[in-house]
Amino acid sequence: MAGFNHTGVNHAVFYLLGIPGREDLHMWFSIPLCISYVFALLGNGLLIFIILTKSNLHEPMYLFLCMLAGIDIAFATTTEPKALAIFWYNNREISLNGCIVQLYFQHTFFISESGILLMMAFDRYIAICYPLRYTMILTHSLIGKIGVAVFLRAHCAIFPIVFLLKRLTFCRNNILPHTFCEHIGLAKYACNDIRVNIWYGFFVLMSTVILDMILILVSYVLILCAVFHIPSQDARHKALNTCGSHVCVIVLFYGPGIFSVLTQRFGHHIPLHIHILLANVSMLAPPMLNPIIYGVKTKQIRDQVVYVLFPNQK
């Protein structure tokens, strides 16, 4: 690997190390990674198939869930195939353009998923606070426009990063101690001043993901206020139960990411390979577990999954 280090040049090719210091365990790491990825593809694919083919599931909550499942498949696919190629075939090489494309779609789908989770919180707010007007407010047309807006927001937020990275000269190093490319992780190997990259990345994080988290929290505060004003205990329990799956998915999506950021910021004594493993877990855990959560906690989906997988079972 020493031959990859040069100065005074602009690197066009980079090398992903996978999990540095644990190369002998790459094959073992790949087994849970591959299983999780396959489960994510099959689970979310089944979820999309069921929602699109069953007319009784063409309700706002399930249409948002269908979008979430599609994003989960795309999100996991941006990084995991390359990680498996590193672990199985030692295929570490990636071009600068390939690296930028990977991180572009990784960040775009991450922000898109955050946006869909916010819309699902809005959906639960309308369903509980304005049940009689629920289908009148969240029409299929509006849901489609919301979906387009979520994706456009993500692309518009991340697109400038392409130009911020392309302007840089990468002369320090071309060895990336990770399984995938990331914005600042790549930019820090440039000889240029990257303060613009850092501040823009911070602005994107605050104006999308952090803002979404705040609005989701506000939505659930309003939902709880409305629920506790319901006189019937059974009605309160039913209202809270409809939010259970969504709350679990929110915790699963934001939780590992927040934990990973905190360990990077304060866990300087934690070995590098632990940071990289945590990053891969945060990428794969939501896509793999989201279908399971909704399958277990949502009766309509659970019944349809049983019907599709076991058509002869009554």
Side-chain angles (χ1 to χ4, degrees):
M1 285 296 177
F4 297 144
N5 293 316
H6 303 283
T7 56
V9 296
N10 187 11
H11 294 294
V13 175
F14 291 82
Y15 296 86
L16 293 163
L17 292 186
I19 302 178
R22 293 292 185 271
E23 286 82 0
D24 56 321
L25 299 176
H26 274 184
M27 187 59 68
W28 292 105
F29 287 138
S30 72
I31 295 173
L33 196 72
C34 180
I35 293 172
S36 300
Y37 181 54
V38 170
F39 267 99
L41 295 181
L42 294 178
N44 287 289
L46 179 62
L47 206 56
I48 292 171
F49 172 78
I50 288 173
I51 293 172
L52 292 181
T53 56
K54 305 300 179 181
S55 58
N56 62 317
L57 294 181
H58 291 179
E59 298 178 8
M61 183 179 79
Y62 301 112
L63 294 177
F64 283 127
L65 178 57
C66 186
M67 294 181 195
L68 184 70
I71 293 172
D72 276 339
I73 290 175
F75 183 49
T77 302
T78 58
T79 57
E80 299 319 312
K82 181 61 180 178
L84 291 174
I86 295 170
F87 293 156
W88 288 345
Y89 308 112
N90 202 32
N91 183 6
R92 304 182 178 193
E93 184 176 311
I94 187 169
S95 67
L96 174 60
N97 289 334
C99 203
I100 292 174
V101 168
Q102 185 189 57
L103 68 87
Y104 174 84
F105 283 107
Q106 174 202 339
H107 294 326
T108 297
F109 289 129
F110 184 83
I111 293 174
S112 297
E113 180 152 353
S114 180
I116 292 297
L117 289 176
L118 173 60
M119 292 303 102
M120 293 175 79
F122 175 69
D123 166 77
R124 291 299 83 203
Y125 169 74
I126 297 296
I128 291 172
C129 297
Y130 304 98
L132 299 180
R133 299 171 58 194
Y134 177 58
T135 55
M136 294 174 59
I137 295 174
L138 288 176
T139 62
H140 286 185
S141 174
L142 180 60
I143 291 170
K145 291 175 183 177
I146 288 173
V148 171
V150 166
F151 287 111
L152 284 178
R153 181 190 71 153
H155 283 284
C156 290
I158 299 301
F159 192 65
I161 289 177
V162 175
F163 299 98
L164 290 176
L165 287 172
K166 291 292 285 184
R167 72 184 177 89
L168 300 176
T169 301
F170 296 94
C171 60
R172 290 185 177 177
N173 203 335
N174 65 340
I175 300 175
L176 306 178
H178 217 304
T179 57
F180 55 83
C181 299
E182 52 185 357
H183 175 207
I184 301 301
L186 177 62
K188 70 181 182 182
Y189 290 106
C191 297
N192 316 68
D193 187 349
I194 63 168
R195 281 179 293 181
V196 175
N197 295 69
I198 293 172
W199 281 109
Y200 185 74
F202 179 74
F203 165 75
V204 169
L205 180 67
M206 295 300 295
S207 62
T208 55
V209 178
I210 301 300
L211 179 61
D212 291 347
M213 290 175 64
I214 293 171
L215 293 175
I216 289 171
L217 180 61
V218 171
S219 297
Y220 271 95
V221 169
L222 295 173
I223 288 171
L224 288 175
C225 289
V227 166
F228 288 120
H229 280 89
I230 299 174
S232 169
Q233 185 175 350
D234 290 339
R236 284 201 301 269
H237 178 74
K238 184 178 179 181
L240 289 173
N241 192 51
T242 61
C243 300
S245 301
H246 186 232
V247 171
C248 291
V249 169
I250 289 171
V251 172
L252 185 62
F253 178 73
Y254 293 112
I258 293 172
F259 183 72
S260 181
V261 169
L262 290 176
T263 55
Q264 289 181 28
R265 177 65 182 85
F266 301 106
H268 301 296
H269 62 286
I270 298 176
L272 178 61
H273 68 272
I274 299 297
H275 289 292
I276 295 172
L277 285 172
L278 284 174
N280 279 276
V281 168
S282 67
M283 293 287 291
L284 263 181
M288 180 185 69
L289 295 177
N290 284 353
I292 298 174
I293 291 172
Y294 275 97
V296 169
K297 294 187 70 67
T298 308
K299 184 178 185 302
Q300 293 90 329
I301 291 178
R302 185 170 64 247
D303 292 344
Q304 292 297 338
V305 168
V306 170
Y307 177 77
V308 169
L309 297 181
F310 309 102
N312 294 325
Q313 182 175 326
K314 296 182 180 180

